[in-house]
Amino acid sequence: MTNKILLSKAGVSFMLLFIFSAFILFSCEVHIESGVGDDLPSWNEGTTKQSIIDFVKQVTDENNPNYVKPADRVATFDNDGTLWAEKPMYFQLYFLLQQVKDQAKNHPEWREQQPFKAVLEDDRETMKTFQVSDLLNLALASHSGMTQEEFEATVRAFITTAKHPEKNVLLTELVYQPMLELLDYLMDHNFKVFIVSGGGIDFIRAFSEEVYDIPRENVIGTAIQTDFIQEGEKSYLKRFPMIVPPIDDKEGKPVNLHRFIGRRPILAFGNSDGDIQMLQYTDDREGASLCLILHHDDADREWAYDRQSKIGHLDKGLEEAGSRGWTVVSMKNDFKKVFPSE
Amino acid sequence: MTNKILLSKAGVSFMLLFIFSAFILFSCEVHIESGVGDDLPSWNEGTTKQSIIDFVKQVTDENNPNYVKPADRVATFDNDGTLWAEKPMYFQLYFLLQQVKDQAKNHPEWREQQPFKAVLEDDRETMKTFQVSDLLNLALASHSGMTQEEFEATVRAFITTAKHPEKNVLLTELVYQPMLELLDYLMDHNFKVFIVSGGGIDFIRAFSEEVYDIPRENVIGTAIQTDFIQEGEKSYLKRFPMIVPPIDDKEGKPVNLHRFIGRRPILAFGNSDGDIQMLQYTDDREGASLCLILHHDDADREWAYDRQSKIGHLDKGLEEAGSRGWTVVSMKNDFKKVFPSE
C-alpha cells in the first residue's frame, strides 16, 4: 500500500518530468537537427557544394588547423549577378530611369539635355550608346536633392512594385534561391555576412533586410555625399550629387572592405571582373579562405554570359580563378533551383 | 512485488530525469538571474541610472509604445572623454608623437621642419602653440606610408605598453568602469553598439575588441585614404596621407552614422560640443531616444573641465542638453567608481 502510494506520487512526478524533459529535449532536438539536415537543398550534390560545406566545417571546428574565431568570420557577397539577376541590365537602372521621369517636372531643362532627353523620350537607340559617365550623371541628378528618408521611401515604393520586363515578376523575386540558402547557412555558423556592391548603398539597404535578411549596416556600396542639416527641432541628411570615392567596384571593393569592416573576409563571392580585387584580397589573407565566382551559363533558366557581356563582364576573373584555384560555381550544374518561385 | 519493481524502475528513471531537469533548470536560472541583478553596479542610484534602465526597459518591451525592434536598437558612443579619459591630451596624440620620433630616421628633413622639429626636440613651448592643422600634418605624415597590417601592429605595440604621464598606468586602464558596464548592459539587451569618434578609426579598431568588447566593424572614426596594391600573390592596402572626408566630428558624425550604419541611433552618448550633432540626429528620430552627455566634474578622481577646456570643450552641449532635456551624467555624482582598478 505504501509502495503503491509512493509509486503513484512518483508516477505523477515522473509523468510531469517526462513531459517537461521531452519538451526540452524536443527543443534541443530541433536545434541539433538543423546542423544535420541539408542546409543547401537548392544546390546540386557535387564538388562545389562539398567545397562550401567542407570550408565551413573546417573554419568552425576548434580542433581544425583552419579554425577561425567567430569575430573574424567575415563573408562578403557582390549583389548584382551574385545575389540577384542583372539582365538585361542592372536593376537599379530601372529605378534610375523611373526617377528621372518622376523628377522631370522639376527640371524642364532635361527635355533638351542629354542624357536626360533620351530617357524622357524613351529613345532606345540613344540610350544604347550611353557610357558609364552618362549613367553616372543620370544617377547623381536623380538620386540627390532629397533627404535620406525621402530617398528610401522612393526606393521602397519602387522595389515593392517594379516588375522585370522579360520575366514579368517582381525584381525581388529574381534573387537566387541557392544564394539565399548560403547566406542563411553562413549566418547559422556565426559568419558576419556583408553585401559589397558597385550599386548604391542606400538603394540596397532599402530592401536588404527583407529580401536577404542582411542588416543594413552590413551593406557596403557606392555612396553619394550628404550634408547634415539642422532646422529647429528637426535634423536630417540631404543628398547631394557627388560620389563618395571610391566607387565600390574593382580596387574600390577592398578599400571599402577595410573602411567598413576593418578585416579581410575569409569567404568572398562574386560574378564579374569587378569582383576580382575583393577575391584577391580575401585569397591573400593569412589563413584559410574560400573564393567563389558564379558563372552565368544557364540560358534556359536564367541568362548565359561572360566574356562578351558588358554587364556582368567576366573574363580575367575566370583566368584568375583557374590560376588561383577559386571555385567557379556553374549556375547550370550547381543550382538545383535558380529562383525561389521555380 | 510487481509494484516494487515498477517503483524501482520508475525510481531510477525519476532520479535520472530529476538530475537532468535540475541541470537544465539551473542553466535557465543562471540566465534569468542575469536580468534581475544590478547590471550597472558602478553607477550610483539616482535619476541618471534610473533613466537609463527605464529607457532600456521601454524599448525592449513589446507591449510598450516605445518598443524598438532589435534591428533598430543602435547605440553610439563617442570615445575620447566618453569611454576613456582624454586628459591632459587625447591619448592618440601620445601615439602620434611616438610615431614621429620612430619614423624620424627616414625623414631627415623633419629635423628642420615644423611642426616635426618641435616634436623631435621635445620643445614643449612650441608644441603648446600647435593648431589643429599642425596636429593633422603630424598625424597624416606619421600614420601613412605603411600597410594597414603594419599600422595595426604599431598601434598594438604602443597600446599594450604606453603609460599615462600622470596616472602611471596603461592608457587602456583609464577606461570608465561605469561605461564598460553600460556597453555590456546594452549588448545584453540586443543593442548594436558603435563607437563614433573623431579619433582614428584604425587606431581604435586595434584595441576595441579587447578593451570594449566592441567588434572592429562597429568602430567609426576619422579615416585616411588607402590604395589597393596587388603584387603577385600578395595584396594589401597602403595608407597615404589624405583624410577621407568628413572628419568624424561635429556634422561629420551624423554623416558617417548614416554611411556606416544606415539608421539613426536610438541612444547616443558624448561628452563634448563635438558630439552635439550626433545627439541632435538621435534626438530627432521618430520614436523614443535617449541622449546623454558625460560631464567631467570630478577633479579628485579624474579631471574637471567643460567650457574653458580646449580638449573636451563642452559649452553649447550643456545649453542644448538643458533645452532638449538630454541627460547630463555627472562623473562626480553618478559614477560610484571611475576606473576599473579603483
Side-chain angles (χ1 to χ4, degrees):
Chain A
M1 190 67 179
T2 311
N3 275 356
K4 208 177 170 186
I5 289 167
L6 265 173
L7 174 67
S8 172
K9 274 190 185 166
V12 171
S13 306
F14 178 89
M15 283 299 283
L16 284 173
L17 277 165
F18 180 79
I19 291 164
F20 180 68
S21 302
F23 179 75
I24 289 166
L25 277 169
F26 179 73
S27 314
C28 292
E29 193 71 8
V30 171
H31 186 71
I32 293 161
E33 278 295 304
S34 77
V36 173
D38 187 352
D39 296 308
L40 304 171
S42 301
W43 291 73
N44 284 321
E45 299 305 320
T47 50
T48 301
K49 179 172 179 172
Q50 202 54 48
S51 70
I52 294 171
I53 292 170
D54 288 347
F55 177 76
V56 172
K57 270 190 185 154
Q58 285 174 27
V59 299
T60 55
D61 173 5
E62 286 189 51
N63 299 316
N64 191 293
N66 287 335
Y67 176 72
V68 177
K69 65 180 196 293
D72 289 329
R73 282 182 214 154
V74 169
T76 58
F77 289 79
D78 170 58
N79 186 44
D80 297 308
T82 300
L83 294 181
W84 72 356
E86 58 183 351
K87 288 284 178 180
M89 63 179 193
Y90 299 128
F91 294 174
Q92 194 176 353
L93 296 182
Y94 296 114
F95 172 70
L96 185 161
L97 299 179
Q98 185 64 51
Q99 282 284 93
V100 169
K101 286 172 186 165
D102 289 349
Q103 293 179 24
K105 59 180 181 299
N106 304 322
H107 295 276
E109 74 281 10
W110 285 358
R111 272 180 236 146
E112 298 307 320
Q113 190 181 322
Q114 291 295 12
F116 304 97
K117 189 170 182 285
V119 174
L120 297 178
E121 292 172 359
D122 216 13
D123 170 2
R124 304 281 169 113
E125 288 312 304
T126 305
M127 284 163 74
K128 276 182 190 159
T129 68
F130 278 175
Q131 300 299 305
V132 172
S133 58
D134 294 313
L135 294 174
L136 200 59
N137 280 340
L138 290 168
L140 288 175
S142 63
H143 285 49
S144 67
M146 68 290 279
T147 70
Q148 288 289 15
E149 277 90 353
E150 287 163 351
F151 180 74
E152 179 165 330
T154 323
V155 178
R156 289 198 58 78
F158 170 82
I159 209 74
T160 50
T161 54
K163 291 205 166 178
H164 191 272
E166 295 174 15
K167 303 267 183 191
N168 199 33
V169 296
L170 288 176
L171 298 174
T172 52
E173 292 181 70
L174 295 177
V175 295
Y176 304 129
Q177 178 62 28
M179 298 304 286
L180 294 181
E181 292 166 10
L182 179 55
L183 298 177
D184 273 353
Y185 177 58
L186 294 174
M187 287 190 259
D188 282 348
H189 288 83
N190 294 317
F191 277 68
K192 305 172 188 183
V193 176
F194 289 80
I195 292 175
V196 183
S197 169
I201 187 169
D202 294 312
F203 178 77
I204 301 170
R205 280 175 171 175
F207 58 87
S208 68
E209 296 184 359
E210 272 171 57
V211 174
Y212 300 128
D213 204 18
I214 292 179
R216 54 178 69 201
E217 62 269 23
N218 285 19
V219 174
I220 304 169
T222 303
I224 76 168
Q225 310 268 5
T226 60
D227 258 344
F228 178 72
I229 312 228
Q230 170 66 37
E231 287 170 350
E233 291 283 299
K234 208 178 136 199
S235 58
Y236 54 88
L237 294 168
K238 191 157 182 182
R239 298 167 61 89
F240 66 91
M242 271 181 69
I243 292 280
V244 176
I247 287 179
D248 195 46
D249 196 35
K250 300 189 173 73
E251 292 82 5
K253 291 206 177 192
V255 167
N256 275 339
L257 278 176
H258 180 81
R259 191 175 297 166
F260 281 76
I261 310 176
R263 47 188 132 219
R264 297 195 192 222
I266 69 168
L267 182 153
F269 209 136
N271 79 300
S272 79
D273 282 0
D275 300 313
I276 293 176
Q277 288 83 354
M278 172 168 81
L279 297 172
Q280 288 171 334
Y281 187 63
T282 304
D283 194 19
D284 294 343
R285 79 180 281 270
E286 280 183 36
S289 60
L290 182 64
C291 295
L292 305 112
I293 290 182
L294 180 58
H295 192 197
H296 294 265
D297 56 0
D298 192 334
D300 291 336
R301 296 186 298 172
E302 206 235 7
W303 286 270
Y305 57 96
D306 48 33
R307 291 183 174 82
Q308 305 306 318
S309 183
K310 198 171 164 186
I311 283 186
H313 181 77
L314 177 64
D315 183 4
K316 283 186 189 163
L318 286 173
E319 281 174 38
E320 195 82 359
S323 64
R324 281 179 177 253
W326 295 344
T327 301
V328 177
V329 178
S330 159
M331 187 172 275
K332 190 172 181 174
N333 301 321
D334 292 318
F335 281 13
K336 191 180 286 178
K337 190 177 180 177
V338 177
F339 302 115
S341 60
E342 250 176 54
Chain B
M1 192 64 180
T2 311
N3 276 356
K4 207 175 171 189
I5 289 167
L6 265 174
L7 175 65
S8 172
K9 274 189 185 166
V12 171
S13 304
F14 179 88
M15 284 298 284
L16 285 173
L17 276 166
F18 180 79
I19 291 165
F20 179 69
S21 301
F23 179 76
I24 289 167
L25 277 170
F26 180 74
S27 314
C28 292
E29 193 71 9
V30 171
H31 185 70
I32 294 162
E33 277 295 305
S34 75
V36 173
D38 187 351
D39 296 308
L40 304 170
S42 302
W43 291 73
N44 284 321
E45 299 306 321
T47 50
T48 301
K49 179 173 178 170
Q50 201 54 48
S51 70
I52 294 171
I53 292 171
D54 287 347
F55 178 75
V56 171
K57 270 191 185 154
Q58 285 174 27
V59 299
T60 56
D61 174 4
E62 287 188 51
N63 297 316
N64 191 294
N66 287 334
Y67 176 72
V68 176
K69 64 179 198 294
D72 289 329
R73 282 182 213 153
V74 168
T76 58
F77 289 79
D78 170 60
N79 186 43
D80 296 309
T82 300
L83 294 180
W84 73 356
E86 59 183 351
K87 289 283 178 179
M89 62 180 193
Y90 299 127
F91 294 174
Q92 194 176 353
L93 296 182
Y94 296 113
F95 172 69
L96 185 161
L97 298 178
Q98 185 64 49
Q99 282 284 92
V100 169
K101 286 172 186 166
D102 289 350
Q103 293 178 25
K105 58 180 182 300
N106 303 323
H107 295 277
E109 74 281 9
W110 286 357
R111 271 179 237 147
E112 299 307 321
Q113 189 181 324
Q114 291 296 12
F116 304 97
K117 188 170 184 285
V119 174
L120 297 177
E121 291 172 359
D122 215 14
D123 171 3
R124 303 282 169 112
E125 288 312 305
T126 304
M127 284 163 72
K128 275 182 191 158
T129 68
F130 279 175
Q131 301 299 305
V132 172
S133 58
D134 294 312
L135 295 174
L136 200 60
N137 280 339
L138 289 167
L140 288 175
S142 63
H143 285 49
S144 67
M146 67 291 278
T147 70
Q148 288 289 14
E149 276 91 353
E150 287 163 352
F151 180 74
E152 179 165 331
T154 323
V155 178
R156 289 199 58 77
F158 170 82
I159 209 75
T160 49
T161 54
K163 292 204 166 177
H164 191 271
E166 295 173 15
K167 303 268 183 190
N168 199 33
V169 296
L170 288 176
L171 298 174
T172 52
E173 293 180 71
L174 295 176
V175 295
Y176 305 129
Q177 178 63 27
M179 298 304 286
L180 295 181
E181 291 167 9
L182 179 55
L183 298 177
D184 273 352
Y185 177 58
L186 293 173
M187 287 190 260
D188 282 348
H189 287 82
N190 294 316
F191 277 69
K192 306 171 186 182
V193 176
F194 289 79
I195 292 175
V196 183
S197 169
I201 187 168
D202 294 311
F203 178 78
I204 301 169
R205 280 176 171 173
F207 59 85
S208 69
E209 295 183 1
E210 273 171 56
V211 174
Y212 301 128
D213 203 18
I214 292 179
R216 54 177 66 200
E217 62 270 22
N218 286 17
V219 175
I220 304 169
T222 303
I224 76 168
Q225 310 266 6
T226 60
D227 259 343
F228 177 71
I229 312 227
Q230 171 66 38
E231 287 171 350
E233 292 283 298
K234 208 178 135 196
S235 58
Y236 53 88
L237 294 168
K238 190 159 183 182
R239 296 167 62 90
F240 67 91
M242 271 179 70
I243 292 282
V244 176
I247 288 179
D248 195 46
D249 197 33
K250 300 189 174 71
E251 292 81 4
K253 290 205 177 193
V255 167
N256 276 339
L257 278 176
H258 181 82
R259 192 175 297 166
F260 281 76
I261 310 176
R263 48 187 133 219
R264 297 196 191 221
I266 68 168
L267 183 154
F269 209 136
N271 79 300
S272 80
D273 282 0
D275 300 313
I276 292 176
Q277 288 82 353
M278 173 168 80
L279 297 172
Q280 287 171 335
Y281 187 63
T282 304
D283 194 18
D284 295 342
R285 79 179 281 269
E286 279 183 36
S289 60
L290 183 64
C291 295
L292 305 113
I293 291 183
L294 180 58
H295 192 197
H296 294 265
D297 56 0
D298 191 334
D300 290 336
R301 296 186 298 174
E302 206 235 9
W303 287 271
Y305 58 95
D306 48 34
R307 292 184 174 80
Q308 305 306 318
S309 184
K310 198 171 164 185
I311 283 186
H313 181 76
L314 177 64
D315 182 3
K316 284 186 189 161
L318 286 173
E319 280 174 40
E320 195 82 359
S323 64
R324 280 179 177 254
W326 294 344
T327 301
V328 178
V329 178
S330 159
M331 187 172 275
K332 191 172 180 175
N333 301 321
D334 293 318
F335 281 12
K336 192 180 286 177
K337 192 176 179 178
V338 176
F339 302 116
S341 60
E342 250 176 54

